[in-house]
Amino acid sequence: MPPQEEMDVFEVKKQMLEELEDMGFPEARAARALHHSGNVSIEAAVNWLIDHENDPDIDQMPLIAVNIDIQSPQPLHTTEEMKIKEKDFTDEACRKTEEEKRLEREREKERIQAGNELLEAKRIAEDNERKRHLSSRKAEKEEEKRARERIRQKLEADKAERRRMLGLPPLSYMDSETSRPVMKEIKKSLPAISATKPDQLRECLRSLKRKQKNDNEAVQRAFQALLIYIRNVAMNPDNEKYRKIRIGNPFFQDRIGKLKLGIEFLELCGFEKIEGGKFLFLPREKVDMAVLSTAGSELKSAITNPFFGLLSKG
């Protein structure tokens, strides 16, 4: 059923309707204003329009045509007060438009500021990641350099030993003299387990690689799994599920659990056995981002550096 209002004829005074239209009001609005204000006066109609300008059906014509044939008994003229109200109506509309523009400008400023803050945060994150990468790459190059030097020194020592066993004289007195510091350097270059955390982590990985020297594939799987666990904690230190490892988990057992040194590496990173040894757990207050970062760097070096663990003390 259509609304009752649309079933009635809007009877309005033609001359008053024309005056409202001359003032700039659409026919539909003028007709509704006259109808609902009782065709009393232009002033009453304008007041109704001001009060109902936001009505959803203000611009809808009724289904039945508006009756505009009723003549006004007397011509009505716009009073000074009506002109003032018309001006107020126009000024109010302009004020709302300006307010909307001002709010839009403020919203645009906020969007620009948020965008700039996001870009700055992204730049800082990229800069930090670049620094971490450079630091890791530097450590890897230093390890490669040390490994090459140890190999070179060992080759020199082996060469001198072969000459001795074949009864050949030393190359020269100077060579003999220089070979002594070389041998001393070889001994010095063989690292002992250091009390520092980076050395402990590195030596743990070297020992693991030496003990599994006949199964390089298992060693690589263990290193990669350890890197996953360390990286997860570093990226989500507040999430307990990344700080608690079930030792009986098939994935963990296949790659790390069966290797004693794999568990020792995690313990060096701060993990502790709990619940009768069923879980490894890293308490939130013991999460050390520096240690985790060092552990990650050592693992990356162990995975990518073919010389990792060579000639280290067994």
Side-chain angles (χ1 to χ4, degrees):
M1 289 290 291
Q4 181 62 33
E5 180 183 282
E6 295 182 354
M7 298 295 293
D8 295 334
V9 176
F10 280 16
E11 295 188 358
V12 297
K13 295 179 180 180
K14 183 177 181 180
Q15 186 170 351
M16 294 173 68
L17 180 64
E18 291 175 351
E19 287 186 31
L20 286 172
E21 288 179 322
D22 290 341
M23 292 169 64
F25 295 105
E27 182 182 8
R29 292 193 177 201
R32 287 181 179 276
L34 289 170
H35 174 76
H36 290 295
S37 64
N39 292 286
V40 175
S41 66
I42 294 294
E43 181 179 357
V46 170
N47 285 336
W48 187 91
L49 281 169
I50 293 174
D51 294 336
H52 296 271
E53 63 172 326
N54 293 321
D55 288 2
D57 59 349
I58 188 70
D59 292 311
Q60 295 178 5
M61 292 292 287
L63 295 177
I64 299 175
V66 177
N67 182 357
I68 60 174
D69 295 328
I70 300 177
Q71 297 292 332
S72 301
Q74 296 179 0
L76 297 177
H77 301 284
T78 303
T79 64
E80 185 65 27
E81 184 179 354
M82 288 304 302
K83 290 181 180 179
I84 293 174
K85 287 185 177 290
E86 179 186 358
K87 184 177 183 303
D88 291 343
F89 182 78
T90 304
D91 292 345
E92 178 66 15
C94 291
R95 188 192 66 77
K96 288 184 177 180
T97 301
E98 289 299 322
E99 180 66 14
E100 290 175 356
K101 289 181 179 179
R102 186 187 66 79
L103 292 175
E104 180 59 29
R105 286 194 297 271
E106 290 181 356
R107 286 192 290 268
E108 181 63 22
K109 288 181 181 179
E110 291 175 356
R111 285 193 292 269
I112 292 173
Q113 182 178 357
N116 290 337
E117 291 175 353
L118 181 61
L119 288 174
E120 179 64 15
K122 183 178 179 182
R123 185 193 66 76
I124 293 174
E126 291 175 349
D127 187 52
N128 290 338
E129 179 62 26
R130 185 163 51 252
K131 290 179 180 178
R132 285 193 295 270
H133 176 74
L134 290 175
S135 176
S136 175
R137 186 59 187 151
K138 182 179 178 181
E140 291 173 3
K141 287 183 177 180
E142 290 176 352
E143 174 64 20
E144 292 174 2
K145 183 178 179 181
R146 289 193 294 269
R148 285 194 296 269
E149 181 62 20
R150 288 194 295 267
I151 291 174
R152 186 190 67 78
Q153 292 173 355
K154 189 173 189 307
L155 290 174
E156 290 286 342
D158 290 345
K159 184 177 179 180
E161 179 65 16
R162 284 195 300 271
R163 290 182 65 85
R164 186 188 67 77
M165 294 183 67
L166 292 172
L168 298 175
L171 294 177
S172 68
Y173 173 78
M174 290 301 297
D175 291 336
S176 176
E177 287 297 310
T178 56
S179 67
R180 293 176 184 175
V182 169
M183 295 301 294
K184 292 180 180 178
E185 187 63 25
I186 291 176
K187 293 180 180 180
K188 290 180 180 179
S189 66
L190 297 177
I193 298 178
S194 172
T196 64
K197 185 66 70 173
D199 287 344
Q200 290 175 342
L201 292 168
R202 188 181 305 117
E203 184 59 30
C204 183
L205 295 177
R206 285 173 173 168
S207 298
L208 191 155
K209 187 172 184 178
R210 288 196 302 272
K211 287 182 181 297
Q212 302 293 325
K213 61 183 178 181
N214 296 326
D215 193 352
N216 186 63
E217 185 177 346
V219 171
Q220 288 296 315
R221 285 202 308 269
F223 287 168
Q224 290 168 357
L226 286 168
L227 183 59
I228 290 173
Y229 284 114
I230 296 302
R231 183 180 294 162
N232 283 343
V233 175
M235 295 178 65
N236 306 276
D238 295 322
N239 194 330
E240 183 176 312
K241 78 174 185 177
Y242 294 117
R243 294 185 284 104
K244 188 174 184 179
I245 304 172
R246 183 166 61 86
I247 295 179
N249 180 282
F251 175 88
F252 182 84
Q253 275 296 318
D254 180 59
R255 290 164 174 76
I256 301 173
K258 62 184 180 182
L259 306 174
K260 179 182 177 182
L261 290 170
I263 294 179
E264 287 184 8
F265 184 85
L266 291 172
E267 289 176 333
L268 285 172
C269 294
F271 281 86
E272 304 170 353
K273 288 182 179 180
I274 61 172
E275 298 184 24
K278 293 181 179 180
F279 291 91
L280 283 170
F281 181 67
L282 177 56
R284 179 63 182 89
E285 64 274 10
K286 293 188 177 181
V287 173
D288 189 329
M289 300 304 292
V291 171
L292 295 178
S293 177
T294 300
S297 297
E298 294 297 338
L299 283 166
K300 289 179 183 178
S301 177
I303 292 170
T304 60
N305 181 8
F307 300 105
F308 186 86
L310 292 177
L311 303 178
S312 55
K313 192 173 182 179

